[in-house]
Amino acid sequence: KDNIAIKSEIASRHPYGEWIANQRRDVKRTSFADERIYDQDATTFAQGTFGWGLQDIGMQIQDMAGSGKETTYSMGDDAPIAVLSERPHIPYNYFKQRFAQVTNPPIDPLREGVVMSVAMTLGKKESIYKVSEKGARLIHLESPVLNSNEMAEIASLADEDKGGFKQSTLSTRYSLSDGPEGIKSAIDAICDKAVEDVRSGVEVLILSDKAEGMDEMKESTYIPPLVAVGAVHHRLIEEGLRMDTGIVVETGSAWSTHHFACLVGYGANAVHPYLALETVKQWYNQGKIQKMMEAGKITQMTLDEAQANYRKSIENGLLKILSKMGISLLTSYQGAQIFEAMGLGEDVIGTSFKGTTSRIGGVSLSDIARETVMMRPEEDQKKLVNYGYYKPIPKLGEYHANSADLARLLHNAIGLDKKVSAATNRDELPNDGVKPSSVADYEIFKKSLESAPLANIRDLLDFESDRESISIDEVEPASEIMKRFCTGAMSLGALSREAHETLAIAVNRVGGKSNSGEGGEDVVRGSDLMDVDENGRSPTFPHLAGLKNGDSANSYIHQVASGRFGVTPEFLVTAKQLEIKMAQGAKPGEGGQLPGPKVSEYIATLRASKQGVTLISPPPHHDIYSIEDLAQLIHDLHAVNEDAGVSVKLVSSIGIGTVACGVAKAKADVIQISGGDGGTGASPLSSIKHAGMPWEMGLSEAHSALLTNGLRDRVLLRVDGGIRTGRDIAIAAMMGAEEFGFGTIAMIAEGCVMARVCHLNSCPVGVTSQKEKLRKQFPGTPEHVVNFFMFVAEEIRELMAHLGYSKFEDLIGRADLLKESESQVGRVAKTEGVSLTGFFSGIPDSRDDRSFLRAPVSEGGGLKDDVVHVNGFSSDLDREMCNHPDVKAAIEKNEGDTAVSFNIKNTDRSTGAMVAGDIAREYGNSGLDGNLNLNIFGSAGQAFGAFAVPGMKIRLTGEANDYVGKGMHGGEIIVLPEADAGFVAADSSIVG
């Protein structure tokens, strides 16, 4: 039987369509109510009690209701993690979304949305092993985001003539007078009542924190909905009742896509965000909003359309969050708990989030109750608090590590004046206006970070040496330490030419590794500068200042991401290292995003796209379904450029250690661990704030797993994500890192003033703008960045001298030199439950065995940075082709037709990639003027004809495995079956 016949037989066993028509009740999306449920004062008071801030309305609600899209924002998440914050946080902020990297592919919700759905069901689910008409008796929800009209429709289904779906509403509010400990008895009470109701036949359970009016709001508080739904969900599971009912959460504490994802992920079948919809009405009816609509600054819409826009943005945001983990249906995500908690204690996890990883402990249930009450506004307060969680509010709001004040302090230290640029008087000033660097000012910069509020896990750590201090003269020089410095993968497009090229030149000057980011790189950057005049100007780069002959703007690392914008054979062969971007720190599980206004003619040329068109990549390498697929891509890159190492970029998340072991076995040379707080030019706001873990977690896990499994000597570990100082680098080294990436702080070192408008193309100092006028305001030179690197290296040397270590490599993997700082842990009340002891106990002791710092003896045993893994017998045919005298002559002569024949077997992989690489080295992407005809016979392995260039004509008689023509830039690939194959070619697959 064929596929269709089998499916038809199964589908016809029962009258499924008839059952659904008879039993299922559909609740479709309906219009929204215009009436307000609260007056203005009550609305503001309710918003305050549920943790809303001014930015939640001014940024998120305005964008969602106004355009039907999530807020796009820039930079990284430089605010403290919730458990370290001095400000109150709602429980959602203690959770980070998990995402797929290597183990399974994410989905592209923009291009593959046809296989995705947010539809949900309510009611009692029958056993899948008992197929009957009863199984169709469910309430089918077109959307998990319900409005008041849809809630009324669901309530009407309790009538016997409409289905008889018995329903119960449980209030999650409890008296303020019960105090913080009252939350525990309140949770027990709703869980007991839920069990009682479901046993009595309730099929729709509504958990509601809705208050009738101001009096009830003033006298009571509430169990946060995430805690409530998780507790009820798990209690019903324990009692064997969870499949007997659906849970609707009716809450004022849900407005962001992350909030909805958490509620569904921990058990909710649907959410009625009554206060979010009330806030949309409040926003819509403001006079200034109506005026903006009249002026055309916001699209004209009705109130119903504004609420529909809000729902649409939540639904699309949920699809994006599902897609990060490769899940296509919200029903599959429901109750799946695909999150990692950071900063929640055992009693919270045990009550509401059983099975969720929480590695450092944290707040208790009573702490959560206290935080909830802390958010309550004064009774006469007419305006919401501006917490500054997204945009910094100086002095009043949440602390942000990267601030305009921090930028100013660093600029003073490195001698940068933001007013000096090509648009002002730079050409008239000595040394292009670069002032002498100041050690005293760097100390002020450093002290400002040391005395700042707690923000990261590493802020809870201190050093504890096992030896006496030594003289700084005995410590290795700064020049050696700086060789370990890299720049983060920031693309040309996200950054201006001036910013991107200045960073590359500066890092190359100190012997570090610059990174192209995704999006390709101009071929003019491949050659060293030899045309610089006495004023530090080059005709090749007329827009740059402070240049020297011998400078190189070529990025050491060229990044390969799934959009593959700009990934050409020439781009690959001009790299010294090739980085596979499996995930991005700022938004793991999603692709890069470059807003249309930033796609200038120059950027569009590099990316082979159109000027002004927004570029959103698919999730990185979402065609990689397993470690074998990643190993094949590593093989392809080793083939096209045998001299370049291959790095794989991963983002910190639980389980990264297992993935890192697979990557090491797949013959990667470097594993990059990025923190989830990385910077970005443009990203959905919820992705910046709520996906990915701190690098401290991922780095220590990856290092431990690699060391335990005997793989640590095969790879070099690199880390990045919010690294700013020598102290950060020393801690990262002790956790296992050998190289260190600078992102946002490196941008600050070349003039960034933290305006946080990278996504708007309006950077006032031209660091992240493609507008010519703004680019002329760029104040940075390579010397400024070098000054910063020198300060950081000297700070590391001082730390090493204090700890008694002369060689930097002797710090690597020495977690025993770190201890938990009791004074730091005590700085914030809610950190009392945080403990890093268990977190560090799993890192292997490497004091005595330091062999992991060198490559395996089988590979020469030298410095890992000097060793590049090479493909084995799987590239033998490729090498034979490259060394064939006729092939070499054809490339050298670059004219006429040459034909060469070879036999192939299925263990020969990436065949043709080395030849393509040789041609690209000689002639770039334009390929050969002549024709190189490669006639091949047999069964080809994976990636046949990878990276082919114009002039290559590859003809395979036989068959080929997966990935034929991967990264193909031109030429021809022809695959045809053997004459005596014995099958009809038109009916058979001969390529993978």
Side-chain angles (χ1 to χ4, degrees):
K1 296 178 182 179
D2 64 15
N3 181 37
I4 299 297
I6 293 170
K7 288 179 178 175
S8 298
E9 180 184 317
I10 294 171
S12 61
R13 285 180 184 171
H14 302 285
Y16 295 110
E18 185 181 318
W19 288 353
I20 288 173
N22 292 338
Q23 298 292 338
R24 195 174 84 177
R25 298 294 179 265
D26 291 340
V27 177
K28 298 185 181 297
R29 295 182 182 91
T30 62
S31 59
F32 293 78
D34 289 346
E35 301 79 26
R36 296 283 298 271
I37 58 174
Y38 297 133
D39 62 28
Q40 196 70 7
D41 289 346
T43 300
T44 301
F45 189 83
Q47 289 164 339
T49 61
F50 286 115
W52 289 68
L54 275 178
Q55 290 180 356
D56 294 308
I57 299 174
M59 292 176 70
Q60 299 203 71
I61 293 297
Q62 176 151 321
D63 285 346
M64 292 166 130
S67 63
K69 295 179 181 177
E70 262 196 279
T71 299
T72 297
Y73 200 46
S74 59
M75 304 313 293
D77 185 13
D78 58 350
I81 57 177
V83 73
L84 299 185
S85 173
E86 296 173 356
R87 301 286 189 281
H89 278 260
I90 50 182
Y92 308 111
N93 293 351
Y94 290 86
F95 289 87
K96 297 292 185 181
Q97 300 159 17
R98 295 182 62 187
F99 48 90
Q101 55 181 356
V102 182
T103 53
N104 61 293
I107 298 173
D108 180 356
L110 293 178
R111 300 164 182 87
E112 298 169 335
V114 68
V115 300
M116 303 187 75
S117 171
V118 293
M120 295 289 280
T121 58
L122 298 173
K124 181 175 181 177
K125 293 181 173 64
E126 295 296 323
S127 169
I128 60 172
Y129 300 109
K130 298 175 183 177
V131 181
S132 71
E133 187 169 355
K134 286 174 65 179
R137 188 181 171 278
L138 293 167
I139 300 171
H140 182 266
L141 307 177
E142 204 169 58
S143 170
V145 183
L146 303 173
N147 62 28
S148 57
N149 291 335
E150 290 148 9
M151 288 292 287
E153 187 176 343
I154 291 169
S156 73
L157 298 177
D159 297 344
E160 285 302 324
D161 59 339
K162 292 187 178 180
F165 290 90
K166 191 175 178 182
Q167 301 176 31
S168 172
T169 298
L170 306 182
S171 175
T172 59
R173 301 193 73 87
Y174 64 99
S175 175
L176 259 178
S177 61
D178 291 345
E181 298 302 322
I183 191 173
K184 297 173 185 175
S185 55
I187 290 172
D188 289 342
I190 63 163
C191 287
D192 290 344
K193 186 67 168 67
V195 169
E196 179 187 330
D197 286 352
V198 176
R199 282 206 171 116
S200 69
V202 167
E203 295 173 273
V204 179
L205 203 58
I206 300 168
L207 305 179
S208 177
D209 55 35
K210 192 174 181 180
E212 290 304 313
M214 279 287 279
D215 289 343
E216 186 179 359
M217 284 187 225
K218 290 176 183 177
E219 294 170 3
S220 63
T221 181
Y222 59 93
I223 306 167
L226 183 57
V227 175
V229 73
V232 170
H233 174 70
H234 280 288
R235 180 68 180 279
L236 291 174
I237 290 172
E238 289 170 10
E239 301 287 342
L241 298 170
R242 182 61 187 92
M243 302 303 285
D244 293 352
T245 193
I247 300 177
V248 177
V249 176
E250 182 174 62
T251 182
S253 181
W255 60 90
S256 157
T257 55
H258 177 66
H259 302 169
F260 287 83
C262 287
L263 291 171
V264 174
Y266 283 100
N269 296 79
V271 181
H272 174 212
Y274 65 88
L275 190 56
L277 295 173
E278 182 77 354
T279 305
V280 173
K281 298 171 194 174
Q282 180 191 47
W283 168 82
Y284 181 88
N285 289 320
Q286 291 179 65
K288 68 174 183 179
I289 298 301
Q290 291 300 315
K291 287 177 182 176
M292 290 173 74
M293 287 187 194
E294 290 168 11
K297 293 181 180 177
I298 295 178
T299 304
Q300 285 275 4
M301 70 189 83
T302 64
L303 179 53
D304 186 75
E305 288 170 338
Q307 294 179 82
N309 277 346
Y310 172 76
R311 171 153 61 185
K312 174 187 168 187
S313 68
I314 294 295
E315 290 174 352
N316 288 340
L318 284 171
L319 290 177
K320 179 202 67 185
I321 292 169
L322 298 188
S323 71
K324 293 178 187 179
M325 201 62 181
I327 294 172
S328 57
L329 303 177
L330 191 61
T331 49
S332 299
Y333 193 81
Q334 190 255 337
Q337 304 191 164
I338 304 176
F339 297 87
E340 181 170 356
M342 185 165 57
L344 294 182
E346 288 182 11
D347 66 329
V348 181
I349 297 294
T351 300
S352 299
F353 312 112
K354 288 183 180 71
T356 299
T357 300
S358 182
R359 289 186 269 183
I360 60 170
V363 296
S364 64
L365 284 169
S366 54
D367 290 330
I368 287 175
R370 286 189 193 93
E371 277 203 288
T372 302
V373 173
M374 282 173 65
M375 294 183 285
R376 293 174 67 85
E378 300 295 331
E379 290 185 16
D380 58 350
Q381 193 171 312
K382 302 295 184 185
K383 192 176 180 182
L384 285 177
V385 174
N386 193 340
Y387 289 109
Y389 290 142
Y390 315 124
K391 290 180 180 177
I393 306 297
K395 297 182 177 63
L396 299 174
E398 178 67 279
Y399 167 69
H400 287 259
N402 297 322
S403 64
D405 289 340
L406 183 88
R408 185 172 59 254
L409 292 175
L410 183 57
H411 292 166
N412 290 341
I414 61 177
L416 186 145
D417 185 344
K418 66 180 182 182
K419 296 177 182 177
V420 175
S421 67
T424 57
N425 60 338
R426 180 167 67 189
D427 293 345
E428 302 164 14
L429 297 174
N431 196 28
D432 291 312
V434 181
K435 299 174 183 177
S437 58
S438 166
V439 174
D441 282 324
Y442 184 77
E443 285 298 315
I444 296 172
F445 162 79
K446 194 171 68 171
K447 288 283 188 281
S448 75
L449 285 169
E450 290 172 358
S451 60
L454 299 176
N456 305 293
I457 289 175
R458 58 187 176 276
D459 295 339
L460 301 177
L461 298 173
D462 207 346
F463 302 111
E464 184 175 45
S465 188
D466 58 351
R467 59 183 71 174
E468 295 294 319
S469 298
I470 59 174
S471 166
I472 197 167
D473 296 332
E474 298 176 45
V475 178
E476 70 177 281
S479 57
E480 288 300 309
I481 293 171
M482 288 191 290
K483 291 177 181 177
R484 298 179 180 272
F485 293 176
C486 311
T487 50
M490 299 175 282
S491 72
L492 176 55
L495 270 59
S496 65
R497 282 193 72 179
E498 288 80 357
H500 200 270
E501 292 163 2
T502 295
L503 279 181
I505 290 167
V507 183
N508 290 340
R509 272 190 196 174
V510 302
K513 297 178 176 69
S514 51
N515 193 314
S516 69
E518 72 170 291
E521 191 161 283
D522 197 330
V523 294
V524 74
R525 293 171 63 170
S527 303
D528 291 352
L529 287 177
M530 300 307 294
D531 59 355
V532 180
D533 63 22
E534 65 277 8
N535 297 316
R537 300 294 188 276
S538 161
T540 311
F541 296 93
H543 47 284
L544 299 184
L547 303 176
K548 299 177 181 178
N549 280 315
D551 276 341
S552 171
N554 184 37
S555 296
Y556 186 103
I557 303 165
H558 287 186
Q559 191 181 70
V560 179
S562 65
R564 298 207 171 90
F565 299 124
V567 178
T568 65
E570 185 170 11
F571 177 77
L572 297 174
V573 299
T574 52
K576 296 183 177 69
Q577 191 174 109
L578 294 165
E579 179 175 271
I580 300 170
K581 175 184 176 182
M582 288 307 304
Q584 179 175 339
K587 45 184 172 179
E590 295 177 68
Q593 183 171 339
L594 190 62
K598 296 183 75 168
V599 183
S600 64
E601 183 181 358
Y602 177 72
I603 300 301
T605 301
L606 290 179
R607 299 188 178 213
S609 56
K610 289 185 178 181
Q611 183 177 349
V613 175
T614 296
L615 302 177
I616 301 179
S617 301
H621 301 289
H622 73 303
D623 54 350
I624 286 180
Y625 285 70
S626 65
I627 192 66
E628 287 82 7
D629 288 333
L630 177 60
Q632 180 56 45
L633 180 55
I634 292 170
H635 185 280
D636 301 331
L637 298 179
H638 276 312
V640 74
N641 187 349
E642 274 202 296
D643 296 329
V646 175
S647 62
V648 175
K649 181 176 181 179
L650 306 173
V651 172
S652 178
S653 181
I654 185 71
I656 196 173
T658 302
V659 175
C661 289
V663 171
K665 291 178 180 178
K667 288 198 171 181
D669 301 279
V670 178
I671 297 176
Q672 161 114 16
I673 308 292
S674 290
D677 53 0
T680 180
S683 170
L685 181 59
S686 66
S687 300
I688 294 173
K689 301 294 287 186
H690 302 300
M693 295 293 287
W695 57 254
E696 295 95 322
M697 300 254 192
L699 173 62
S700 52
E701 183 185 339
H703 170 71
S704 301
L706 290 165
L707 204 54
T708 302
N709 288 283
L711 299 166
R712 187 63 184 83
D713 57 348
R714 294 195 195 183
V715 290
L716 187 145
L717 275 184
R718 182 184 298 143
V719 68
D720 74 353
I723 289 176
R724 298 176 186 90
T725 64
R727 181 182 186 275
D728 290 344
I729 286 175
I731 291 172
M734 292 170 185
M735 291 181 175
E738 293 156 278
E739 291 185 346
F740 313 89
F742 297 90
T744 303
I745 197 70
M747 291 166 58
I748 293 175
E750 59 178 353
C752 169
V753 293
M754 290 306 300
R756 298 178 192 263
V757 289
C758 314
H759 56 301
L760 300 177
N761 200 31
S762 57
C763 175
V765 287
V767 173
T768 60
S769 177
Q770 303 305 327
K771 292 180 180 176
E772 197 70 33
K773 182 179 178 181
L774 294 175
R775 286 171 52 198
K776 287 187 180 298
Q777 306 282 354
F778 179 73
T781 69
E783 186 176 343
H784 289 126
V785 183
V786 170
N787 286 345
F788 167 67
F789 287 149
M790 183 62 75
F791 276 133
V792 173
E794 288 297 338
E795 181 191 345
I796 294 168
R797 294 184 72 234
E798 290 172 9
L799 270 170
M800 290 169 62
H802 174 71
L803 295 171
Y805 285 80
S806 59
K807 287 188 175 182
F808 185 86
E809 69 171 24
D810 292 340
L811 296 180
I812 297 170
R814 293 292 306 279
D816 59 288
L817 300 177
L818 292 170
K819 67 174 183 178
E820 194 169 351
S821 171
E822 293 179 10
S823 61
Q824 290 288 79
V825 170
R827 283 176 62 185
V828 180
K830 59 185 174 181
T831 61
E832 289 178 0
V834 172
S835 173
L836 303 183
T837 307
F839 174 63
F840 281 112
S841 63
I843 301 178
D845 190 334
S846 60
R847 275 175 283 193
D848 299 325
D849 184 1
R850 310 291 292 164
S851 59
F852 71 90
L853 292 169
R854 296 290 181 269
V857 175
S858 60
E859 295 180 354
L863 293 173
K864 283 188 278 185
D865 201 30
D866 296 335
V867 175
V868 172
H869 298 316
V870 295
N871 294 336
F873 63 85
S874 51
S875 281
D876 283 350
L877 176 59
D878 233 4
R879 296 186 184 100
E880 180 186 340
M881 291 166 67
C882 288
N883 292 323
H884 193 286
D886 291 348
V887 173
K888 294 173 82 171
I891 296 173
E892 186 178 338
K893 292 177 181 177
N894 195 26
E895 61 182 14
D897 282 13
T898 303
V900 192
S901 296
F902 300 93
N903 292 321
I904 195 169
K905 52 187 181 297
N906 62 8
T907 54
D908 295 320
R909 297 186 284 144
S910 314
T911 303
M914 287 185 176
V915 175
D918 286 350
I919 295 171
R921 282 186 196 89
E922 291 294 323
Y923 308 112
N925 293 323
S926 56
L928 293 168
D929 290 336
N931 289 315
L932 177 57
N933 298 285
L934 300 172
N935 298 311
I936 302 174
F937 302 89
S939 182
Q942 285 93 343
F944 177 78
F947 309 115
V949 296
M952 290 179 69
K953 293 188 176 182
I954 310 173
R955 183 184 179 93
L956 172 65
T957 302
E959 60 186 356
N961 249 298
D962 295 345
Y963 296 120
V964 171
K966 180 188 288 188
M968 185 179 180
H969 191 72
E972 294 179 7
I973 299 176
I974 301 164
V975 184
L976 65 162
E978 296 173 352
D980 57 352
F983 56 78
V984 179
D987 296 336
S988 304
S989 297
I990 57 172
V991 296

